[in-house]
């Protein structure tokens, strides 16, 4: 017997003389009716059925406000952004990336309890699971895709931030594939390295994008590539992107030669939507001006190497998550404004942005106490 065990003494059994006959034998015990038995059994069965239904998976996805992270700070003792090879400066405020927590994907099914909770919550959304996840996608495939998008967003953020600060970021632009149906399909090969476009040397991704910005869709450009060590000139009729600008019809896997060593450390968060906040964090750390001025600014948005901010999903969950974690300002991609209007929680000011430069100027204005005149989303 363990030392810490307690022994409970049983009370003595009363002798027959101690039993009150009038109490023990005054009336016979009531009989349980068949109806009572059936009613009790029905209630028990209903309780069991309800318990089973609550934990059964439901064909819905539930998205709710997820955790936020201050990209200027640390998480579990590790700085989210570390910079070597350039001077860095202290900051006093916060720049928070925002996330969405969800159930319903492969490996994380939503229960009926999750769905009911999502329906009654003012900050959650419930949608059919197939609207967010491919029916044949596995958990491993989704995780790999999210991780790849996160790595790409960090690369884009680093290039965009360093370019915003005046650095040149050389890149080797290797073709990863072509768009089927484009004029480049069948002409450009996987593994080709882009050397120039219309005679203009392409030392970095920005030069390629800047040149394409001045090309009329449908016109022919000449792309010089290095193929198996030999230069090859390839004429290509450009296509049209959704925004009306010209595109070549190729997928590029760039390899960047960073002039500054930037390391971004983050776990358990995937996808591309933190790119803008990463870029702002790099800019803030590498400039002597304390852009945030002690303010707590949250935001979201994809970013490309040219500094253009793109739309994201789940902004109606990210805004209340930001407010919950102390943010009073929120940077929203202008392309998400239709989802912002009418859903801004009280106490949060939204500023719309479309480029990293606009986002940087917005944070600087907010930090200086001049944010009231910044553009916001309107209907």
């Amino acid at each position: 017997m363990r030392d810490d065990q307690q022994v409970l003494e049983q009370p003595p059994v009363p002798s027959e003389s101690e039993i009150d006959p009038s109490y023990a034998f005054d009336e016979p015990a009531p009989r349980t009716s068949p109806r009572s038995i059936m009613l009790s059994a029905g209630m028990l069965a209903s309780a069991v059925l309800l318990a089973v239904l609550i934990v059964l998976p439901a064909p819905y996805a539930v998205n709710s406000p997820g955790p936020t992270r201050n990209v200027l700070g640390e998480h579990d003792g590790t700085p989210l952004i570390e910079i070597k090879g350039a001077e860095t400066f202290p900051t006093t405020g916060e720049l928070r990336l925002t996330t969405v927590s969800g159930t319903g994907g492969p490996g994380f099914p939503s229960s009926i309890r999750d769905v009911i909770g999502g329906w009654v919550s003012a900050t959650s959304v419930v949608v059919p699971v197939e609207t967010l996840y491919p029916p044949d996608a596995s958990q491993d495939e989704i995780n790999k895709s999210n991780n790849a998008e996160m790595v790409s967003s960090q690369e884009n953020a680093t290039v965009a931030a360093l370019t915003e600060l005046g650095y040149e970021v050389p890149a080797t632009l290797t073709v990863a594939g072509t768009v089927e149906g484009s004029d480049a399909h069948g002409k450009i090969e996987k593994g080709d390295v882009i050397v120039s476009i219309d005679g203009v040397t392409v030392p970095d991704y920005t030069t390629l994008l800047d040149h394409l910005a001045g090309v009329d869709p449908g016109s022919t450009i000449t792309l010089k590539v290095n193929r198996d060590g030999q230069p090859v000139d390839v004429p290509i009729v450009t296509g049209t992107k959704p925004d009306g600008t010209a595109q070549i019809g190729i997928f590029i896997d760039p390899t960047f030669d960073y002039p500054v060593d930037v390391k971004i450390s983050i776990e358990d968060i995937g996808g591309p939507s933190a790119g803008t906040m990463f870029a702002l964090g790099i800019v803030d750390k590498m400039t002597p001006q304390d852009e945030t001025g002690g303010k707590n600014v949250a935001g979201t948005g994809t970013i490309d190497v040219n500094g253009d901010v793109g739309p994201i999903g789940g902004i109606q969950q990210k805004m209340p998550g930001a407010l919950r974690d102390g943010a009073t300002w929120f940077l929203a991609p202008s392309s998400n404004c239709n989802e912002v209007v009418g859903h801004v929680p009280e106490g949060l000011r939204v500023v719309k942005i479309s480029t990293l430069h606009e986002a940087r100027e917005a944070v600087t204005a907010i930090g200086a106490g001049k944010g009231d005149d910044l553009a916001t989303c309107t209907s």
Side-chain angles (χ1 to χ4, degrees), residues 56-105:
L56 277 178
Y60 292 96
V62 182
N63 284 347
S64 305
T68 68
R69 297 281 186 271
N70 175 24
V71 300
L72 299 176
E74 298 181 351
H75 183 64
D76 292 337
T78 301
L80 268 69
I81 299 176
E82 293 183 273
I83 298 171
K84 297 180 180 179
E87 187 177 5
T88 58
F89 303 88
T91 60
T92 60
E94 297 183 6
L95 291 172
R96 288 192 166 272
L97 65 85
T98 51
T99 68
V100 174
S101 293
T103 61

Side-chain angles (χ1 to χ4, degrees), residues 103-124:
T103 61
F108 299 95
S110 299
S111 67
I112 291 180
R113 178 174 55 189
D114 295 328
V115 173
I116 294 174
W119 278 334
V120 300
S121 171
T123 60
S124 298

Side-chain angles (χ1 to χ4, degrees), residues 191-193 225-232:
D192 286 351
V193 177
V225 300
N226 191 330
R227 181 178 296 166
D228 299 326
Q230 299 296 321
V232 179

Side-chain angles (χ1 to χ4, degrees), residues 52 82 116 145 174 227 260 266 275 298 304 336 359 370:
V52 171
E82 293 183 273
I116 294 174
S145 175
T174 304
R227 181 178 296 166
V260 176
I266 194 161
D304 63 21
N336 280 117
K370 301 177 180 179

Side-chain angles (χ1 to χ4, degrees), residues 360-379:
R360 179 186 182 186
E361 289 187 328
V363 171
T364 302
I366 292 168
K370 301 177 180 179
D372 290 342
D373 294 331
L374 293 170
T376 188
C377 291
T378 56
S379 57

Side-chain angles (χ1 to χ4, degrees), residues 58-366:
Y60 292 96
V62 182
N63 284 347
S64 305
T68 68
R69 297 281 186 271
N70 175 24
V71 300
L72 299 176
E74 298 181 351
H75 183 64
D76 292 337
T78 301
L80 268 69
I81 299 176
E82 293 183 273
I83 298 171
K84 297 180 180 179
E87 187 177 5
T88 58
F89 303 88
T91 60
T92 60
E94 297 183 6
L95 291 172
R96 288 192 166 272
L97 65 85
T98 51
T99 68
V100 174
S101 293
T103 61
F108 299 95
S110 299
S111 67
I112 291 180
R113 178 174 55 189
D114 295 328
V115 173
I116 294 174
W119 278 334
V120 300
S121 171
T123 60
S124 298
V125 62
V126 180
V127 296
V129 68
E130 62 270 14
T131 63
L132 295 182
Y133 302 99
D136 55 348
S138 67
Q139 178 184 346
D140 186 58
E141 290 172 336
I142 292 175
N143 288 342
K144 286 181 178 179
S145 175
N146 286 338
N147 291 337
E149 290 180 327
M150 171 58 79
V151 171
S152 179
S153 76
Q154 293 175 6
E155 290 180 345
N156 290 351
T158 302
V159 175
L162 293 178
T163 302
E164 170 71 15
L165 293 171
Y167 287 89
E168 292 184 0
V169 186
T172 300
L173 306 181
T174 304
V175 176
T178 57
V179 177
E180 190 170 352
S182 69
D183 192 52
H185 191 63
K187 293 182 177 181
I188 298 295
E189 297 179 4
K190 182 179 181 180
D192 286 351
V193 177
I194 298 175
V195 177
S196 67
I197 178 171
D198 291 333
V200 178
T201 302
V202 180
D204 51 42
Y205 205 98
T206 302
T207 301
L208 177 64
L209 295 177
D210 287 346
H211 185 86
L212 279 175
V215 172
D216 293 328
S219 60
T220 301
I221 55 99
T222 299
L223 206 62
K224 177 173 283 188
V225 300
N226 191 330
R227 181 178 296 166
D228 299 326
Q230 299 296 321
V232 179
D233 288 331
V234 185
I236 298 172
V237 178
T238 58
T240 306
K241 294 170 64 176
D243 62 3
T245 58
Q247 66 178 1
I248 303 175
I250 59 177
F251 300 108
I252 297 177
D253 182 15
T255 303
F256 298 105
D257 183 11
Y258 300 108
V260 176
D261 182 16
V262 178
K263 180 182 178 182
I264 299 175
S265 302
I266 194 161
E267 297 180 357
D268 301 327
I269 295 177
S273 65
T276 296
M277 300 310 291
F278 284 142
L280 283 172
I282 296 169
V283 169
D284 196 311
K285 282 178 170 282
M286 294 183 66
T287 50
Q289 180 181 9
D290 184 11
E291 281 90 344
T292 60
K295 303 294 195 305
N296 188 335
V297 183
T300 186
T302 65
I303 199 164
D304 63 21
V305 294
N306 216 32
D308 291 326
V309 175
I312 50 80
I315 197 166
Q316 292 178 12
Q317 287 71 57
K318 292 179 178 180
M319 290 187 292
L323 182 66
R324 176 201 62 207
D325 290 350
T328 53
W329 293 86
F330 191 93
L331 306 179
S334 57
S335 45
N336 280 117
C337 274
N338 62 323
E339 301 171 78
V340 170
V341 175
H343 297 280
V344 180
E346 186 176 354
L348 193 69
R349 292 286 304 275
V350 172
V351 178
K352 68 175 182 178
I353 56 172
S354 57
T355 67
L356 173 59
H357 186 70
E358 288 181 2
R360 179 186 182 186
E361 289 187 328
V363 171
T364 302
I366 292 168

